[in-house]
Amino acid sequence: MRLSTRRMLDRSFSGLGFFAVGLMAASLIVILAPMFVRGLDAFVFKATVEHRRLMLERFGRGNRAVVDKDLEAARIAREPLYRILAEFKEEMEGFDPDRRRMFRTSVRELETLVQSLLGPFPGEPTPALIRRQYGQTRWDQAQLKLQEILYVESYDYSDATRMGTKVYTPRQALYEGTRLHGFFPYLEKHVEAMLRPRTTLYWRFLFDSSLDAHFFGGIWPEMLGTLYLTIGAMLFAVPMGVIAAIYLVEYAKDTGLIQLLRTCISSLAGVPSIVFGLFGLAFFINTLHVSSSKSVLAGAITLALLVLPTVIRASEEAIRAVPLTYREAALSLGAGKWHTIVSVILPAALPGILTSIVISMGRAAGETAPIIFTAAVSVGKPLKVWETLSKPTPALPWNIYNLATEHEAVDQIRHVQYGMVFTLVALVLLLNITAIILRARVSTKLRG
Amino acid sequence: MLRTLILACALIGTAFAGDPSTLVLDGSTTVGPIAKAFAEYYMQNNPDVNITVSESGSGNGAKSIVNGTCDIANMSRFMKHEEFKAATDAGRMPTAHVVAMDGIAVVVHPANPVKDLTVDKIRDIYTGAITNWKDIGGPNKKIIVVSRDTNSGTYETFETLVMNKQKMAGSVEYVGSNGAARQRVQSTDAAIGYVGLGFVDNTVKAVTVNGVAATPQTVASGTYAVARPLFMFTNGYPKLGSHLHAFVTLHLTAKGQEMVEGIGFVPVTAY
């Protein structure tokens, strides 16, 4: 081969390499950037006076005098709005019955919308559902509500050969010539004074329990549940995995049975996670009765089984990689086999074992399928440590799925869902970084 | 090693089991919103109680009662004969509490001009006899049929009340929850699906069935054709004065009824 051809091939190969790395980085940004940006929306947003009222009444946060002043200012801004509505209802009594009936339904719809924007009407008894006790707590959601009030969304079906097209008509037009006519321009002009949005950092999103099935509040039970499950899984998987690895490397003879065992471990790594979930339900909960219902314990053991092959395999490699001279040195000094393993081989293999823990910890934290049937619930309180033995918990991966597909008000609480995604990704990163630092420390210590 | 570990855990686990301050609810995604709202309300008033709610489908709720792994099974249908038998064989007596009434709303994309369907027409759509919207007064577009999975109580009710024991076509898409069915319909203009009344919002359009709109009033009066009760099942009638008893009778209180209504379902006591 001519030198120039070789050089060209070489160059094109490194070019391809750069391209692959660039592509990976770009896709990582494409995936992670929106996740972080939208996730941050759960923490930093324009909060309305309703948010501050919620924080004060439900979590006892904020200065009562300041919030009261805030609410008073909002009340003054809202007053004319409620007055117009009351005046219109009075006026309505004078209409002829047909017209009155027509207005009655549309006014009820309008009232529901106004209630969901601003909260209960003054003098109205407190609704039982917390979601109805407050208006929109977020300015972005409030603006969507405002649009809904100002414009009626309907569809034009005049072209029978195609699907209808969306048309927006001002709601104001419905009330032409009545007192309610002035309601809409007033609302549009003064909505900011009625809700008093202010940019707020809600860092306690992480440490608040959810209120009314995630309509308000934070994600503490979910976060705690994920931590319990991950740590619990590691508590089971690491000792069992490392012991199994020691056995396989140091003690096991190369018999057919051991060969079979190795094949089994490898295949276990390829079993779909939902199968582990069903196994966990059938074996740990329904057969062994480790707990009377789903529980963190059952979930953690199931997750441990899921990550066990990874731990065994990686630990095995790490132990195998310890140079033979270490063993020989230890044995020559008179140490027994067990002593050699505990005091020489394991410490030397520790960085490798830690790597396996890092990898499986991220996996355990993010898995959904194994915990659906064994540990995860949609709502629940944050658990105390001893309660993990018998009680189920919400957990981030499952609740993200739950909020994305099952929740009755998906579109109103997207920010919570993104906040959870953000937290889960950040949590896994944090766990990994901690383990990586730990590993670096251990390695330097060993080398030194 | 593993065995002793698990056994040890099992022992500790049993020590904590049957804790009266815990209620575990499992089952229907339709009853889910009611259960979650009740749980929130109950825990507000009894801060020492921990109530957990899972939404995994009525079938799973029944299984949990049979296996004794939940206190309350939320179900959007009655227990089947075999489930009942399995439960009694295991020494458990499933007891039904009707917590609300619900209509199954047949939903289409709001852009779809079709306003009314008869039960027969809906059945034809699901069996595959009608495959294009133009046959029932819509534009020329293939119908995308969305159904709940067979673990769902909503599916069972739909099958009984609409399908009349006829099989659904192979082209039907199955989704795992009410929320997922609604999302599929709101994002696909040629789709049709069915969800519980509490899941209807302005992103989808509920068609009238046999000319009757799916509203709390028509469900309560029995004029809406596809209506059913929603259940919570317990193992026997709960001990009076227990949290469990208070919880499964919450729907009879004024606040309970208000919550059921607020979520979009029909309180049992409102007829």
Side-chain angles (χ1 to χ4, degrees):
Chain A
M1 204 186 285
R2 295 230 316 265
L3 193 65
S4 60
T5 330
R6 206 184 287 171
R7 204 170 284 158
M8 203 184 71
L9 274 176
D10 191 39
R11 232 176 253 153
S12 58
F13 182 74
S14 45
L16 212 63
F18 275 124
F19 177 72
V21 170
L23 200 68
M24 203 187 71
S27 55
L28 204 65
I29 290 171
V30 167
I31 294 168
L32 285 183
M35 227 187 260
F36 276 88
V37 171
R38 304 193 73 164
L40 275 177
D41 200 35
F43 297 89
V44 184
F45 56 95
K46 277 189 142 180
T48 65
V49 66
E50 295 293 315
H51 175 79
R52 296 189 280 279
R53 182 160 74 92
L54 178 106
M55 283 296 132
L56 181 70
E57 288 177 4
R58 295 283 158 184
F59 297 102
R61 259 172 234 150
N63 187 327
R64 183 169 289 275
V66 174
V67 176
D68 277 348
K69 222 169 122 194
D70 217 9
L71 280 168
E72 181 58 22
R75 196 190 61 78
I76 291 169
R78 291 172 189 189
E79 207 172 14
L81 198 73
Y82 293 130
R83 207 176 47 233
I84 297 174
L85 204 58
E87 277 172 12
F88 172 72
K89 278 174 141 175
E90 217 167 88
E91 187 189 13
M92 214 165 70
E93 294 306 315
F95 292 164
D96 61 77
D98 275 351
R99 201 165 167 223
R100 193 161 58 209
R101 202 167 309 130
M102 189 187 83
F103 276 130
R104 197 162 282 158
T105 12
S106 68
V107 165
R108 200 168 301 143
E109 190 189 319
L110 179 67
E111 277 178 337
T112 319
L113 285 168
V114 170
Q115 196 195 35
S116 78
L117 177 70
L118 300 176
F121 283 83
E124 190 187 326
T126 315
L129 288 170
I130 298 175
R131 69 192 79 159
R132 298 205 159 200
Q133 289 173 11
Y134 300 92
Q136 295 299 323
T137 54
R138 297 170 61 93
W139 183 236
D140 49 353
Q141 291 288 334
Q143 276 169 317
L144 292 179
K145 259 307 166 226
L146 180 70
Q147 285 307 307
E148 223 178 297
I149 295 177
L150 295 178
Y151 298 96
V152 182
E153 184 189 304
S154 58
Y155 281 81
D156 174 17
Y157 302 122
S158 52
D159 186 355
T161 58
R162 300 180 41 202
M163 285 291 174
T165 43
K166 209 184 256 188
V167 273
Y168 289 104
T169 45
R171 202 178 285 270
Q172 197 180 6
L174 277 175
Y175 303 100
E176 199 71 56
T178 67
R179 292 211 170 176
L180 209 54
H181 199 253
F183 181 92
F184 301 95
Y186 182 85
L187 178 67
E188 195 172 6
K189 201 170 159 207
H190 296 281
V191 69
E192 209 160 328
M194 291 177 201
L195 286 169
R196 307 172 68 80
R198 205 185 300 151
T199 306
T200 308
L201 170 67
Y202 181 33
W203 60 272
R204 280 198 164 105
F205 178 72
L206 286 179
F207 303 108
D208 277 345
S209 285
S210 93
L211 266 182
D212 201 2
H214 295 106
F215 268 91
F216 306 117
I219 56 170
W220 177 237
E222 286 76 16
M223 222 172 86
L224 197 65
T226 300
L227 283 176
Y228 279 146
L229 282 167
T230 315
I231 294 168
M234 288 302 119
L235 283 183
F236 283 104
V238 172
M240 286 198 295
V242 174
I243 290 167
I246 293 172
Y247 174 76
L248 285 175
V249 178
E250 299 290 333
Y251 291 91
K253 309 226 160 42
D254 211 17
T255 61
L257 189 71
I258 297 299
Q259 289 288 338
L260 185 74
L261 206 64
R262 278 177 209 277
T263 321
C264 285
I265 293 169
S266 307
S267 344
L268 204 61
V271 173
S273 51
I274 185 71
V275 177
F276 279 100
L278 289 170
F279 172 76
L281 171 71
F283 188 64
F284 296 124
I285 297 181
N286 289 343
T287 311
L288 285 186
H289 300 290
V290 296
S291 53
S292 61
S293 65
K294 294 181 188 180
S295 68
V296 176
L297 177 67
I301 308 176
T302 312
L303 282 173
L305 289 189
L306 179 84
V307 297
L308 202 52
T310 323
V311 178
I312 295 178
R313 267 312 158 90
S315 310
E316 225 183 305
E317 291 310 315
I319 294 170
R320 231 185 273 282
V322 177
L324 204 62
T325 45
Y326 281 36
R327 273 166 248 238
E328 283 164 353
L331 291 172
S332 70
L333 285 174
K337 188 161 189 179
W338 174 242
H339 203 95
T340 310
I341 291 169
V342 174
S343 57
V344 177
I345 295 177
L346 273 189
L350 202 57
I353 295 174
L354 280 176
T355 311
S356 76
I357 298 174
V358 173
I359 297 168
S360 26
M361 206 146 62
R363 175 111 197 259
E367 273 293 345
T368 315
I371 58 171
I372 294 178
F373 301 114
T374 53
V377 291
S378 320
V379 293
K381 279 190 176 177
L383 297 183
K384 299 186 180 63
V385 178
W386 63 87
E387 288 174 332
T388 55
L389 293 175
S390 60
K391 291 179 187 179
T393 178
L396 285 170
W398 160 253
N399 280 79
I400 291 167
Y401 171 76
N402 177 261
L403 286 198
T405 64
E406 290 182 348
H407 199 279
E408 64 268 27
V410 179
D411 301 312
Q412 293 166 47
I413 50 168
R414 285 272 183 230
H415 56 277
V416 181
Q417 183 193 327
Y418 285 118
M420 282 187 189
V421 171
F422 174 87
T423 313
L424 181 60
V425 173
L427 206 67
V428 171
L429 280 181
L430 201 74
L431 284 175
N432 284 3
I433 289 169
T434 323
I436 287 168
I437 292 172
L438 201 71
R439 188 182 59 188
R441 280 230 178 123
V442 171
S443 315
T444 32
K445 212 175 182 183
L446 283 176
R447 245 180 262 133
Chain B
M1 172 71 194
L2 173 65
R3 232 186 116 132
T4 19
L5 211 61
I6 290 170
L7 267 175
C9 297
L11 279 176
I12 304 166
T14 6
F16 285 92
D19 184 354
S21 65
T22 308
L23 292 182
V24 178
L25 281 75
D26 200 348
S28 168
T29 67
T30 313
V31 191
I34 298 178
K36 286 188 286 187
F38 278 15
E40 181 73 38
Y41 179 79
Y42 198 83
M43 285 194 284
Q44 292 277 330
N45 294 316
N46 302 276
D48 54 323
V49 182
N50 184 5
I51 303 174
T52 58
V53 182
S54 324
E55 296 153 289
S56 51
S58 296
N60 279 343
K63 281 182 197 111
S64 300
I65 269 281
V66 171
N67 290 319
T69 56
C70 72
D71 298 301
I72 298 173
N74 300 323
M75 292 181 70
S76 58
R77 59 167 169 84
F78 201 80
M79 273 203 170
K80 286 186 209 165
H81 178 250
E82 349 22 308
E83 289 165 349
F84 224 101
K85 191 166 178 304
T88 46
D89 284 350
R92 291 176 234 282
M93 293 298 189
T95 308
H97 308 265
V98 177
V99 290
M101 295 290 169
D102 180 28
I104 298 181
V106 177
V107 291
V108 297
H109 193 273
N112 195 328
V114 173
K115 276 203 205 74
D116 178 65
L117 289 170
T118 61
V119 169
D120 295 331
K121 283 275 186 320
I122 297 170
R123 186 187 311 128
D124 286 348
I125 292 172
Y126 275 87
T127 54
I130 297 175
T131 55
N132 198 306
W133 284 110
K134 73 172 192 284
D135 300 332
I136 36 176
N140 181 14
K141 247 189 167 168
K142 194 176 169 300
I143 304 178
I144 293 163
V145 189
V146 180
S147 168
R148 288 294 310 284
D149 60 298
T150 51
N151 187 32
S152 152
T154 310
Y155 168 86
E156 302 273 349
T157 315
F158 190 81
E159 202 192 20
T160 318
L161 296 176
V162 177
M163 297 309 287
N164 211 358
K165 299 289 165 203
Q166 288 190 47
K167 276 195 77 158
M168 287 193 185
S171 58
V172 172
E173 280 181 33
Y174 295 92
V175 293
S177 63
N178 280 289
R182 180 182 64 195
Q183 281 192 42
R184 185 74 177 100
V185 173
Q186 80 187 36
S187 59
T188 317
D189 64 358
I192 184 169
Y194 56 89
V195 295
L197 214 51
F199 289 83
V200 179
D201 62 7
N202 57 9
T203 60
V204 291
K205 182 172 82 175
V207 297
T208 54
V209 176
N210 296 344
V212 182
T215 63
Q217 290 76 31
T218 56
V219 169
S221 65
T223 42
Y224 186 67
V226 207
R228 38 98 187 249
L230 300 179
F231 299 95
M232 285 187 184
F233 275 88
T234 54
N235 174 18
Y237 195 78
K239 188 169 166 282
L240 298 182
S242 63
H243 287 304
L244 186 57
H245 182 262
F247 193 85
V248 292
T249 49
L250 191 57
H251 64 281
L252 299 170
T253 64
K255 286 284 183 196
Q257 287 168 33
E258 190 193 327
M259 279 188 274
V260 168
E261 213 167 357
I263 298 163
F265 293 104
V266 187
V268 261
T269 37
Y271 19 85

